Amino acid sequence: MQEEKKETILKEIAFWKTNKLLPEHYCDFLTTLYTGGDDDSDQQDESAKRLPLSKAWILYGVAALLAMMIIAMMYIFSAQYIAIPIAMSVLAIAVIIYMTFKGATTKVMQTLAFAVAALLLFALSVRIASMFAPGNIWVMYSVLVANCVTWLLLGTKMTLIYFTISGYLGLAVIILFGFFL
């Protein structure tokens, strides 16, 4: 094959890989096929992946700090100003989930993102329950059970063991403290 054609095809494959038009392993296979196994782009890909990965870690770190600040704000602000942290929580949960599904993430980043989103949702639901039904223990138990069942279903559906374990442990603790103590 002519070198010019081969270069054009390799550039197209790199474009497909960058823009995720084909799965990465298909692009790697095609690149290996067209280069005959003499490809130096794997080393270039590794160095190119490091920069976005470090930026992604910074972005996730900022998102986690923002989530902690939002949770703190939910309990610092009075009921009059609670709409601000609630709106910020909903926005933060949406951004974290979007980053997880659309961003270039590793398994650890996905785990952190899901955990932060789950904790934000937990804090948000507990705060709203305590705000609208203060002192009503059955509403609080219902919210806690709903969170645990959600974690259990997500853990089962997405095969996330930490959500499954959290759901079971949460339900066990709620049953233990709610009904027996």
Side-chain angles (χ1 to χ4, degrees):
M1 184 181 284
Q2 296 174 350
E3 285 298 317
E4 193 173 294
K5 273 187 175 179
K6 191 188 293 187
E7 285 299 317
T8 304
I9 291 171
L10 289 172
K11 285 180 185 176
E12 277 298 311
I13 294 170
F15 176 78
W16 295 341
K17 185 176 181 179
T18 304
N19 293 308
K20 297 182 181 178
L21 297 175
L22 278 178
E24 190 172 331
H25 60 280
Y26 289 166
C27 294
D28 291 341
F29 171 75
L30 289 172
T31 303
T32 305
L33 184 69
Y34 280 103
T35 59
D38 301 331
D39 186 25
D40 293 334
S41 68
D42 287 339
Q43 295 170 350
Q44 294 170 354
D45 285 346
E46 289 301 319
S47 64
K49 285 182 184 178
R50 286 185 191 148
L51 184 63
L53 191 59
S54 64
K55 284 184 180 180
W57 273 107
I58 291 170
L59 189 61
Y60 277 101
V62 169
L65 287 174
L66 180 66
M68 286 187 267
M69 288 178 17
I70 290 170
I71 290 172
M73 286 172 49
M74 272 193 255
Y75 292 98
I76 292 172
F77 283 136
S78 65
Q80 183 179 2
Y81 300 108
I82 198 65
I84 295 168
I86 288 175
M88 289 173 62
S89 296
V90 170
L91 181 66
I93 291 169
V95 166
I96 289 169
I97 292 174
Y98 176 79
M99 285 182 346
T100 302
F101 287 115
K102 290 293 184 180
T105 59
T106 63
K107 196 70 169 167
V108 173
M109 285 185 199
Q110 282 182 335
T111 301
L112 288 174
F114 284 142
V116 167
L119 289 175
L120 264 175
L121 186 62
F122 177 74
L124 181 67
S125 60
V126 167
R127 178 63 175 149
I128 289 173
S130 66
M131 201 172 75
F132 288 117
N136 190 343
I137 197 133
W138 291 107
V139 171
M140 188 60 70
Y141 280 141
S142 300
V143 167
L144 293 174
V145 167
N147 272 293
C148 290
V149 167
T150 302
W151 293 345
L152 194 58
L153 291 175
L154 277 174
T156 306
K157 176 81 175 165
M158 298 176 68
T159 62
L160 301 171
I161 190 71
Y162 49 91
F163 272 138
T164 307
I165 291 171
S166 297
Y168 280 128
L169 285 176
L171 286 174
V173 168
I174 290 168
I175 291 169
L176 178 69
F177 284 106
F179 298 109
F180 295 119
L181 294 180

